[in-house]
Amino acid sequence: MDPIAQVQTAGGSYPVLCGDDAPALLAQLWDARWRQAALIGDSNTLPRFGPALAAALAPRCGEVLQLAFPAGEAHKTRATKQQLEDCLLEAGFERGGCVVGVGGGIALDVAGFVASTLLRGVAHVNVATSLLAQVDAAIGGKTGVNTAQGKNLIGTFHQPRAVLIDCAALASLPAAELRNGLAEAVKHAVLADAPLFAALEAWADARVGDAPLPRPLLARCVQIKAEVVSRDEREQAFRQVLNFGHTVAHAIEAASAHAVAHGAAVAIGMVVEARVAERLCGFPVADRERLERLLATLGLPTAPPLPFAAVRELLGHDKKTRAGVVHCALPARLGQMHEAAGRWALPTPIELLAELWEPVR
Ligand code: GLY
């Protein structure tokens, strides 16, 4: 099967494959040198997808370890990572093995982080089963866990050897999960592709119920993510564009103790940061209105559910903060991010964010 995208990295490149039969795809791409396999997922994803993946790998590497951790952001922690590491070491997992992350963004971030430090780094493959993971989290090698101070503050860059997009999994994805992924799809369109934004608008307007994202639109989102990562693998500058909406989103997630899901928080974050972009870099009012309308049509929230005071401190914990100053990656117009002298995130006065924060409804 032809990849829908290829991610270029310092060490080579890896494919993103998309299909309805993830176990068969995984068996096909399995490197004969990987003598052991460990599937890592959460308590929702692993029982569902693990057995078929393990059965497909058994002829290639014998018994397949299956390690599940409790689902939810609250368990995306250093403690969970340690428990998984202990299980792998006790089972005699060796450097020549491959960790397979199975699930959505949380499962893949944790599995990748485990793979990146176990025995100083082992191979890993991501099998993405949620839309959010498929268009964003599974691609690009960001791994990590949360701390009390915020999201993903401890982690590594560790590129997977391949990413599998399990399209069949989308058929049974809960509607709220689907919406989380749609927020990231909208983000990709805003940052790189105005025609994709228009296509999303047309699809959203004609959509019946919770119909999944059509495959060509999903594939375009994957390609945008792959292009950004290929240009700046370790987020020296350009990759920051993927953070549009995320400075605000991560603060909302932390302040709400993750009661607001990532995609919903990104939707709200994009709306707030679009208002900032209007002020700081001339983002057209009409574009901001189109963004708000598309998000609302997709059933995503657009207004902060918390007062600004609840996020003020947390905004400073963002990884883009420099010398105590919050930075946001902002659009110049739909399909194009703002850039100044090679910088893709702008210093953003905290008082401006406070002023443009909408009242809690
Ligand atoms: N999800 C943002 C990034 O991969 O850089």
Side-chain angles (χ1 to χ4, degrees):
M1 166 169 293
D2 290 337
I4 55 171
Q6 191 79 23
V7 183
Q8 307 298 327
T9 65
S13 75
Y14 61 88
V16 184
L17 297 149
C18 174
D20 288 314
D21 190 348
L25 279 177
L26 182 62
Q28 266 171 41
L29 68 77
W30 196 256
D31 187 325
R33 287 168 299 182
W34 298 334
R35 292 180 304 277
Q36 292 173 310
L39 308 183
I40 296 182
D42 68 28
S43 50
N44 292 331
T45 57
L46 203 67
R48 222 171 121 216
F49 303 105
L53 294 167
L57 290 183
R60 298 183 192 265
C61 48
E63 196 188 338
V64 176
L65 280 172
Q66 294 188 55
L67 305 178
F69 63 92
E73 291 280 357
H75 298 284
K76 188 180 168 184
T77 60
R78 282 172 279 189
T80 295
K81 176 174 182 269
Q82 189 177 334
Q83 282 161 15
L84 293 166
E85 289 161 347
D86 288 345
C87 290
L88 288 165
L89 294 173
E90 277 160 25
F93 197 80
E94 297 175 1
R95 252 193 187 161
C98 178
V99 167
V100 181
V102 183
I106 296 172
L108 301 187
D109 281 6
V110 172
F113 194 15
V114 168
S116 73
T117 58
L118 190 81
L119 305 170
R120 297 213 171 91
V122 300
H124 80 290
V125 169
N126 282 334
V127 179
T129 63
S130 76
L131 181 64
L132 189 144
Q134 294 173 355
V135 298
D136 192 34
I139 305 159
K142 278 191 179 175
T143 81
V145 294
N146 305 330
T147 70
Q149 289 77 18
K151 259 194 86 132
N152 301 336
L153 294 182
I154 308 283
T156 58
F157 286 100
H158 187 64
Q159 298 295 340
R161 300 298 176 91
V163 175
L164 297 188
I165 292 184
D166 183 348
C167 290
L170 292 182
S172 54
L173 198 66
E177 281 297 324
L178 193 60
R179 283 197 292 274
N180 279 325
L182 290 173
E184 295 285 4
V186 171
K187 180 198 78 179
H188 287 332
V190 173
L191 70 90
D193 193 335
L196 174 63
F197 191 92
L200 286 169
E201 288 177 312
W203 170 70
D205 285 341
R207 188 179 183 209
V208 177
D210 294 317
L213 189 64
R215 234 176 257 199
L217 300 188
L218 186 151
R220 181 65 195 125
C221 291
V222 167
Q223 284 154 4
I224 290 169
K225 176 79 195 246
E227 284 160 16
V228 173
V229 173
S230 298
R231 188 164 152 188
D232 178 17
E233 181 185 342
R234 295 179 75 89
E235 200 168 302
Q236 304 296 309
F238 181 63
R239 186 168 172 169
Q240 288 183 338
V241 297
L242 294 169
N243 263 268
F244 171 48
H246 283 59
T247 307
V248 166
H250 286 164
I252 290 176
E253 288 177 81
S256 70
H258 301 290
V260 181
H262 182 63
V266 168
I268 298 162
M270 287 194 288
V271 171
V272 173
E273 293 183 21
R275 287 200 281 265
V276 172
E278 243 177 83
R279 288 282 188 92
L280 293 187
C281 51
F283 187 57
V285 177
D287 284 6
R288 200 247 309 143
E289 287 170 353
R290 280 177 71 189
L291 173 62
E292 287 192 36
R293 184 178 169 276
L294 175 56
L295 294 169
T297 307
L298 293 171
L300 284 155
T302 55
L306 301 160
F308 186 74
V311 298
R312 179 184 279 270
E313 282 293 308
L314 292 160
L315 284 164
H317 294 157
D318 185 77
K319 290 191 285 306
K320 296 183 298 307
T321 296
R322 293 283 173 271
V325 178
V326 172
H327 283 61
C328 292
L330 300 171
R333 58 178 186 276
L334 287 178
Q336 176 66 53
M337 292 299 278
H338 176 83
E339 185 249 341
R343 293 177 190 272
W344 295 89
L346 262 77
T348 306
I350 200 87
E351 291 315 326
L352 185 62
L353 280 159
E355 181 195 333
L356 299 176
W357 198 260
E358 254 189 21
V360 180
R361 286 174 189 160

